[in-house]
Amino acid sequence: MSSTSYTKLKSVEIDSVKIPCTYCHTLVLGSGCASLSTAVRLKRAGLEDLCIVTDNIFGGTSRNTGSDKQTYYKLSDSTRDPDTPYRMAEALTAGGAMHGDIALIEAIGSENGFYNLVGMGVPFPYNPWGGFTGYKTDHDPLQRGVSLGPYTSKLMTEYLERECRTLGIGILDHHDVVKLIRLDDRAAGALIMNKREMDTDSRGLKLFLCDNLVFGLGGPGGFYEKSVYPKPQNGGIGLALEIGATAANLTESQYGLTSQKFRWNLSGSYHQVLPRYYSIDGETGATFDFLNDYFPDMAALMNAVFLKGYQWPFDPRKIPDYGSSLLDVLVYRETEVLGRKVYMDFRENPKGNDHIGCFDPALLGREAAEYWRNSGIDGTTPIERLRQLNPAAIQLYLDHNIDLAAEPLEMAVSAQHNNGGLAADIWWESVNIRRLFPVGEANGTHGAARPGGTALNSGQVGAFRAAQKIALAYRDKTLNTEKARDSGRRAASEILGILQQLTAGSPVPGCDRVYKTGFQQRMSRYAAAVRSAQTAKEAKAAAEKQEKDYTELQVDPMRLSIALKLRHMVFAHRMYLEAIADYIQQGGGSRASSLVIAAEDQTGTPVHPLLPDWRVVPENLELRGRIQHLRWNPDTKKPEFNWIDTRPIPTENSWFETVWARYLDGSVFK
């Protein structure tokens, strides 16, 4: 922690246990790109009294994840194709369930967010004229994507952390957030736990009160068994949901094919070199080249595998006519239904059979053949072709002790990003809890589907917007610290009671891991890429039961921080299942990155003639213009749903003198 000083308040005492209490003006939770950027912006705006709290400065999604070419999405500045914020906003809202004004803000702010990073030294590549040459990304017609390679967000985080330390911003590392403090209709702080002091009477608990709370605890990475989120990323959205913060679009996540031993998206080059897919039965050891049964010929199989490199996210619209997303369905069926392990093998070409024929490069479609030719690909095996196309893709796995030339990759359909999150306004402030600012993946701005790379941009734009409102509209201290201390005392009493309960008996080794596996498997099986009304209902009931079973855990005192994470994670996973069940009940069908299977009394189109029971409920296009809001009512102990209409992209013209006047009197924030 830096030398920045905070106001020490009178400790909170509970049954002779003293909990230290501190006040700072703005408390920033999380250490990903969005949280760090918010802190930097606030400090530059002259706000001295702020603190960052993180459980691991080197953890989280921003610092530990990537893809074949991880993308930052922004307005194009180096192409002859004309681009405007309004065109970009149209691309952002094309998938539906996204507010037009927020899309326009993200488009306008994309240049600001990007050049702020460039100004800190983040080394995005540029051409001789200073233009940051872009490329097309998924769901987008223009060249708006830029990249630093597979670790774009990692480098962004490192430069942002360096800037925080240069500016002297306080960072509390190794501290878990265990409870948010709410005072009436506003956020008032957080109860945190120092993981290095869990053996004390106070269990390392500290109460931090604040006038503004920036909530950047990431996406629900720890909710799924099959996940490409880095293992240190658990997700803290349950902390905000339990105090009644409204959430938006929790149903909408992005899924795709990933490796399991080392969590990474199998996009781009990994598919474009056409590796072999096969599965192994865990009981018999039998091997199945399972794709062979579902394609009419080898040419169709090769085309689907190649296109999966371009079309990585699972998309129900890309299932028909042997499309690339049929691969996701088949991998899901092998792993979740048949219980087999699926592998991608770069040592061998796809193995055909008498039904579809043998692998032959001459069968490549026009697009794939042209790509191979332009890329100089002529290797006889996938690993040879990968060396020619992208040797860094091989080195990436070598860096994680996996040699693609010597072993196959276990793969699965995994959760990758939550497009939903907490509902916030155009300044990234919670729609129903004042002074709570969800940023990054915790903010549900994205709608049902989004162009690739928009998440990194949204995090930076949101950080700037939140910092603007805090610095200009919420700069004065208004918190009643005595009332906030009372709220904090109640929260601390609740958590101390839970901790006492968790350690009342003899520890049961591994009980927390078993407990976590329970909801992770439930989410991957019933709340990921494939869903149905019946399974959502059953999973929701099972989730409610597991939440009640939490009180039966008995853990070692040194694992209390882990057990407290499970408390809000199991609650949040139940809320996600509640959202999915409500969405399907409202007539929501297959869209974005999830497939809804029809009930017995429903009509639907089979995903494949060999899978007659897998009938697709089509997308309800009317819901593209609506957003599902979910709020947990702490009084009734029930979730409440409200479907709202999306706001359009603003079209009114702005007059400078009017804008200037509204800015000067602060009404721009109202």
Side-chain angles (χ1 to χ4, degrees), residues 72-76 83-92 98 100-114 144 428 454 457-458 461 649:
Y72 190 105
Y73 182 82
K74 68 173 186 63
L75 279 171
S76 178
D83 197 5
T84 70
Y86 289 89
R87 290 190 70 186
M88 183 167 159
E90 289 169 356
L92 289 170
M98 182 180 185
D101 50 6
I102 289 179
L104 183 61
I105 289 166
E106 291 192 358
I108 292 172
S110 66
E111 298 279 60
N112 181 307
F114 177 75
R144 298 188 176 115
W428 268 247
T454 57
N457 175 62
S458 179
V461 174
I649 298 171

Side-chain angles (χ1 to χ4, degrees), residues 504-538:
S506 299
V508 179
C511 68
D512 54 322
R513 284 186 284 269
V514 172
Y515 189 83
K516 185 175 183 180
T517 299
F519 62 72
Q520 286 181 325
Q521 290 181 343
R522 187 175 301 117
M523 288 291 285
S524 285
R525 182 73 185 273
Y526 304 119
V530 179
R531 306 167 179 179
S532 74
Q534 183 62 30
T535 58
K537 180 180 179 181
E538 293 172 354

Side-chain angles (χ1 to χ4, degrees), residues 182-188 429-436:
R182 178 175 177 173
L183 179 61
D184 300 323
D185 67 341
R186 65 175 289 170
E429 184 176 14
S430 167
V431 296
N432 71 315
I433 299 181
R434 294 185 301 115
R435 296 175 178 262
L436 174 64

Side-chain angles (χ1 to χ4, degrees), residues 294-296 300-301 303-305 307 318-326 607-609:
Y294 296 93
F295 287 88
L301 187 157
N303 184 63
V305 173
L307 288 178
K318 296 182 175 67
I319 295 174
D321 301 320
Y322 309 103
S324 61
S325 284
L326 178 59
V607 298
H608 193 278

Side-chain angles (χ1 to χ4, degrees), residues 180-247:
L180 300 188
I181 310 303
R182 178 175 177 173
L183 179 61
D184 300 323
D185 67 341
R186 65 175 289 170
L191 185 68
I192 63 178
M193 172 185 270
N194 184 339
K195 293 186 288 186
R196 292 173 171 174
E197 297 179 358
M198 291 189 296
D199 57 347
T200 63
D201 290 342
S202 67
R203 298 296 189 186
L205 294 178
K206 299 177 182 179
L207 180 60
F208 255 80
L209 303 181
C210 62
D211 264 277
N212 303 287
L213 187 64
V214 177
F215 187 87
L217 296 184
F223 293 23
Y224 298 88
E225 180 185 38
K226 306 294 194 309
S227 174
V228 77
Y229 287 90
K231 290 184 178 180
Q233 172 62 37
N234 289 291
I237 191 171
L239 293 163
L241 295 176
E242 71 174 358
I243 65 166
T246 297

